[in-house]
Amino acid sequence: MPIWTVYCVLIKLIYLYAMVESIKSILTVEFENLKQELIAKYNEAANPSDWPQTVEASVSGTKAQLTAANYIYGREPGKQPPSAAIEEWVLNKGIAAQAAKKISIGSLAYLIARKIGMEGWKPKDNSGESIITAVITPERLQLIADRAGDEVLFNISFEIIDYLKKIAA
């Protein structure tokens, strides 16, 4: 294989690597923005839990994804949630002040946790799904795809122009 061919292949590989890195950078920013907006929307709905800490944005090459605990959709009956988490919820909601005269906060939290374990729990009005669909819309995903695609088109345009200049010379 002639040295010129090897040089051209190396240039193409460097170019492809730079393009992938550029797309990765765009996806990282966009998916981090989606993550922050999801968390803000969740907190706006006054949903006290550790769900926001489970939201992760990850980018690998030209692929990106958001992951989070699925209990934003509710909890199936079965295992009882930890009473400590329910106790924190009771305090944050102001229920503790109302119930303090009749029952201890720890006992109330245990009873709520036991009921959730036995019957499950569903958010009111599909709030988990509405939070997600309010932030991650088809239009928003298209905008992200367009931004990444614009970067590819921009780079390919320069490559074509450079190629045409070489041919013309």
Side-chain angles (χ1 to χ4, degrees), residues 26-40 57 66 135 140 144 147:
I26 290 168
L27 291 176
T28 299
V29 168
E30 293 295 333
F31 273 70
E32 188 59 35
N33 288 343
L34 282 174
K35 172 186 168 181
Q36 295 307 321
E37 288 177 39
L38 269 176
I39 291 170
L66 280 174
V135 175
R140 180 72 180 273
I144 294 170
R147 286 185 180 150

Side-chain angles (χ1 to χ4, degrees), residues 88-130:
E88 183 180 334
W89 176 81
V90 166
L91 291 169
N92 290 340
K93 282 289 199 182
I95 299 169
Q98 297 169 0
K101 296 173 188 163
K102 298 177 183 171
I103 188 170
S104 74
I105 304 305
S107 295
L108 178 62
Y110 172 78
L111 292 171
I112 293 170
R114 186 175 72 181
K115 181 171 170 110
I116 291 171
M118 291 171 26
E119 297 178 16
W121 169 82
K122 291 284 180 205
K124 288 189 239 173
D125 306 324
N126 266 344
S127 63
E129 190 169 331
S130 64

Side-chain angles (χ1 to χ4, degrees), residues 69-84:
N70 67 355
Y71 59 81
I72 191 169
Y73 297 112
R75 185 181 185 111
E76 294 296 319
K79 189 175 178 190
Q80 180 173 316
S83 292

